[in-house]
Amino acid sequence: MGKTVTIDAKGMHYTPLNKKIRQAVADGAGEIIIDNVLGQRFIGNGLRGDATIVVNGVPGGDLCMFMSGPTCIVHGNADHAPGNTMNAGKVIIHGSAGDAVAHSMRGGTVFVRGNIGYRGGIHMKQYDDKRPILVVGGNAQSFLGEYMAGGLLIVLGMDGSEYFGRGVGSGIHGGEIVIRGDVDGSRLGVGAKKLPLTEDDRQRIAPVIREFAGAFDLDPAELLNAEFTRIVPASARPFAGKYTWE
Amino acid sequence: MCGIIGVMDRRRQRMDGSAIKRALSMMNERGSGEGAGYVAYGVYPEYKDCYALHVFFDNTHETKRIVDTTLEQWGTIVHDERIPTYDQPGLRAIHIPWRYFFKPDPNRMSHSRSPEDDIVAQIVMRINTARKGALIYSSGKNVGVFKAAGWPEEVADFYRIEDYKGYIWLAHNRYPTNTPGWWGGAHPFNLLNWSVVHNGEITSYGTNRRHIESYGYQCTMFTDTEVVAYLFDHLVRKHGLDIDLAVRALAPPFWDDIDTMPEAREKLNRAIRLAYGPAMMNGPFAIVVANHDAMVGFTDRIKLRPLVVGECGDRLYISSEEAAIRAMEPNVERINMPPAGEPVIGRFVV
């Protein structure tokens, strides 16, 4: 692992900040610590390699967009769309995040310890070995997994609240959404159906839950044994009859 | 895309404009330099019983006479002056901002239940529809809008916003999408004591406009948001709805949610949707409105625009982004994102 670089982002615009981050990665830094982050957008965008970026503060929107490889740890809340169209790597947010978390994500992992806003995991997708994962520790607001085309989305409800959103998996045509507790049928979006979590499913998601617990220093036991509802596409082409006729 | 922020002090402790200028500038990415503005409540204590009319004049030798004459017909001009401005390199001074402190004579509209408000509202509509080079963009008591076409810092520095103190501030950074950016189209929009800042677009504008114009309001700003100020004035001042019911009329619950409500709530919500159908706003929006009693934030029912709420002591903050709140108050205690359509209402404790 390379050296550690510390950047003070106080009052800095995101363009010079991202230039400094890129320069540090080019110079072989293994860890980049950014202090006093407040509202800077696009941190870590398009970044490659395997560096770890530590964000101390509240970053602006589109954190780690198009990122491919690095790990980004946020000690604070994130704004809209962290992990937007991310290709590979990890985003670990110790606070909560805004709307459209993991927007169009195509690979890698986003872990949020707290809650997320509306449209979490909108249009996540998968291809071959690329299978993005979004795990939310708290709860998520409505239209979770809207137009989801692939990947895995887990809501752990660790704050004890039941899932209260509407339109879950609206237009989902690939991937799966796993939500702790029961989700009333009226909460499902068009094109989504719910299934019980089978023992096979549970085994399949267990490593993800263990990794999430490890990232935040939590005991995974209770989470591994909790009751979950699994939401999947009702068909591979939910809107086949809407715009075209065969 | 636009940036909005509002702050209120529940004990009416006044804040100068420097902090909200800093907060709004955090969201420069949300604007395009074609409109920014601020409104402050409690800004004219020395004239608190007068209506403070802010006017954009194209020039003062031709157009001011029309406003002077109209005001003198309906009441007394207690004082008037040019609003102090300070040239900014990036801001082209198109209009001359002027302010009148005006006392309407209630005897001249004796049939009205709120004659002074009605006199001022009809003067605003009359001057603005005449399009004679004068536009009244702020007309409440002890409240003032300061706006222009420019970036948030430029507009703030143009008016030296830090020289004003208020217990509620709203601010807006504009990214015009459907209509050109101009001084009158910058937010906040105001009528009497109501002020509005808005991020998004109101796709039901045509319906809302026809509805509100049938009650005598006139839309003259070439953009959608002004209907929101008129709708609040109409629903709350004229129809006597509480603010939360007014929000319910503008952003009502879905029918399938209403169907599952307990009977009394179901009846109320059904009645509001039926009575105020043409006032219902569609499209993506996050809105903060204020008057002298409250500050209210709400979004469209499927939450197509962001809204973050923060609290710290007596202060309530509502903004497009958390970072903007933290720029004003680094020690903010509670941050949350309210559910779509649910109003966040801040009221004064004194």
Side-chain angles (χ1 to χ4, degrees):
Chain A
M1 187 167 155
K3 62 184 190 318
T4 296
V5 173
T6 303
I7 301 169
D8 184 359
K10 194 173 178 65
M12 195 187 286
H13 188 263
Y14 63 77
T15 303
L17 174 58
N18 272 318
K19 280 184 178 164
K20 280 177 188 281
I21 296 168
R22 282 173 176 278
Q23 190 59 51
V25 170
D27 293 345
E31 185 183 44
I32 301 157
I33 299 170
I34 315 169
D35 292 325
N36 298 312
V37 172
L38 185 63
Q40 286 92 349
R41 288 151 194 265
F42 311 129
I43 291 174
N45 275 205
L47 210 59
R48 291 163 188 274
D50 57 1
T52 296
I53 301 157
V54 179
V55 173
N56 293 319
V58 174
D62 295 312
L63 176 81
C64 301
M65 182 161 59
F66 308 124
M67 188 176 81
S68 193
T71 295
C72 179
I73 302 168
V74 180
H75 296 286
N77 297 331
D79 207 274
H80 62 266
N84 185 350
T85 325
M86 195 170 113
N87 190 56
K90 281 184 198 171
V91 177
I92 297 167
I93 298 165
H94 283 257
S96 290
D99 295 333
V101 172
H103 183 322
S104 304
M105 190 183 175
R106 44 192 270 177
T109 310
V110 174
F111 289 161
V112 182
R113 173 68 179 80
N115 304 316
I116 64 168
Y118 279 67
R119 298 184 172 76
I122 181 172
H123 213 287
M124 277 168 66
K125 56 202 73 168
Q126 67 185 52
Y127 183 73
D128 283 351
D129 60 333
K130 289 282 183 197
R131 188 160 180 261
I133 296 171
L134 166 62
V135 185
V136 179
N139 219 323
Q141 287 175 301
S142 295
F143 309 115
L144 184 69
E146 194 174 44
Y147 309 123
M148 196 170 164
L152 171 64
L153 204 169
I154 303 177
V155 177
L156 294 172
M158 284 161 54
D159 55 356
S161 61
E162 282 202 0
Y163 187 72
F164 49 80
R166 63 157 53 228
V168 185
S170 199
I172 184 172
H173 48 288
E176 56 184 333
I177 304 169
V178 176
I179 299 178
R180 188 170 184 173
D182 186 30
V183 177
D184 190 79
S186 66
R187 305 281 91 190
L188 296 184
V190 176
K193 70 173 178 189
K194 68 171 178 173
L195 299 170
L197 193 78
T198 66
E199 201 45 47
D200 282 355
D201 296 330
R202 196 179 284 281
Q203 295 303 321
R204 202 160 39 77
I205 66 169
V208 176
I209 291 179
R210 280 201 195 90
E211 190 186 343
F212 179 89
F216 298 110
D217 211 9
L218 303 165
D219 178 5
E222 184 216 4
L223 299 171
L224 290 167
N225 297 320
E227 292 299 315
F228 288 98
T229 303
R230 184 164 170 260
I231 293 159
V232 296
S235 83
R237 295 184 66 204
F239 302 112
K242 193 170 171 80
Y243 305 114
T244 59
W245 291 264
E246 292 172 45
Chain B
M1 190 166 71
C2 300
I4 57 176
I5 185 159
V7 55
M8 81 180 288
D9 187 292
R10 292 193 178 99
R11 293 189 183 276
R12 294 189 198 271
Q13 295 298 305
R14 295 196 303 157
M15 306 159 265
D16 78 45
S18 55
I20 200 159
K21 166 189 158 188
R22 200 164 63 240
L24 191 63
S25 305
M26 294 286 304
M27 300 188 286
N28 270 351
E29 211 71 34
R30 292 183 163 272
S32 58
E34 294 171 273
Y38 304 81
V39 62
Y41 286 77
V43 79
Y44 295 130
E46 65 276 32
Y47 293 107
K48 65 178 165 37
D49 298 325
C50 298
Y51 289 81
L53 305 181
H54 287 197
V55 188
F56 286 142
F57 286 124
D58 286 1
N59 62 66
T60 46
H61 46 277
E62 285 175 327
T63 57
K64 185 169 178 297
R65 184 88 212 112
I66 300 164
V67 176
D68 290 352
T69 310
T70 308
L71 294 179
E72 281 156 3
Q73 278 173 351
W74 289 94
T76 310
I77 299 169
V78 176
H79 177 68
D80 77 300
E81 64 187 6
R82 189 180 172 135
I83 296 176
T85 56
Y86 307 87
D87 286 350
Q88 299 300 314
L91 193 152
R92 203 154 66 93
I94 307 282
H95 303 286
I96 299 161
W98 204 275
R99 62 188 162 211
Y100 292 85
F101 295 100
F102 174 64
K103 276 200 169 158
D105 178 354
N107 297 321
R108 300 190 190 177
M109 205 180 275
S110 50
H111 60 280
S112 165
R113 281 192 303 152
S114 50
E116 296 183 323
D117 282 346
D118 279 337
I119 288 170
V120 172
Q122 63 92 16
I123 288 172
V124 172
M125 298 303 155
R126 192 177 294 194
I127 297 283
N128 290 357
T129 45
R131 302 191 194 286
K132 297 282 193 197
L135 185 89
I136 304 177
Y137 58 94
S138 184
S139 52
K141 284 180 177 175
N142 203 5
V143 55
V145 171
F146 302 91
K147 64 183 184 182
W151 290 100
E153 304 95 319
E154 288 169 351
V155 175
D157 293 344
F158 180 68
Y159 290 107
R160 284 199 188 155
I161 207 74
E162 63 271 27
D163 291 349
Y164 296 93
K165 282 183 166 180
Y167 43 74
I168 297 178
W169 281 88
L170 308 184
H172 184 269
N173 179 17
R174 187 169 186 221
Y175 200 128
T177 47
N178 296 343
T179 55
W182 70 295
W183 286 40
H187 303 215
F189 289 93
N190 165 281
L191 181 68
L192 300 170
N193 289 334
W194 288 107
S195 303
V196 179
V197 291
H198 161 220
N199 167 22
E201 55 188 273
I202 297 164
T203 49
S204 55
Y205 172 66
T207 306
N208 303 144
R209 177 179 177 168
R210 276 193 294 281
H211 172 70
I212 202 69
E213 289 195 339
S214 71
Y215 293 98
Y217 298 86
Q218 297 289 326
C219 293
T220 54
M221 310 286 182
F222 310 109
T223 186
D224 50 6
T225 309
E226 66 171 327
V227 295
V228 184
Y230 305 159
L231 286 167
F232 268 96
D233 182 59
H234 185 242
L235 294 175
V236 179
R237 180 170 69 91
K238 289 292 204 180
H239 284 197
L241 296 187
D242 287 343
I243 291 175
D244 52 339
L245 289 184
V247 172
R248 205 138 280 246
L250 302 180
F254 292 101
W255 283 119
D256 56 358
D257 283 341
I258 291 177
D259 288 342
T260 59
M261 287 176 181
E263 194 184 343
R265 268 183 68 207
E266 186 243 314
K267 267 189 167 167
L268 175 68
N269 281 281
R270 191 171 291 277
I272 289 173
R273 267 202 86 157
L274 290 173
Y276 295 109
M280 183 181 108
M281 301 192 307
N282 243 322
F285 59 79
I287 288 174
V288 185
V289 301
N291 69 1
H292 278 294
D293 301 321
M295 179 173 82
V296 185
F298 62 104
T299 64
D300 66 87
R301 301 173 300 162
I302 55 170
K303 185 75 191 315
L304 289 163
R305 288 292 181 273
L307 199 72
V308 180
V309 176
E311 288 182 84
C312 188
D314 292 326
R315 303 259 167 98
L316 173 70
Y317 300 86
I318 306 178
S319 177
S320 305
E321 294 185 17
E322 177 180 340
I325 295 174
R326 290 188 183 276
M328 292 187 85
E329 182 47 79
N331 301 317
V332 63
E333 289 149 4
R334 285 180 296 282
I335 288 277
N336 70 85
M337 292 185 294
E342 284 294 319
V344 174
I345 306 178
R347 296 185 196 273
F348 292 101
V349 293
V350 285

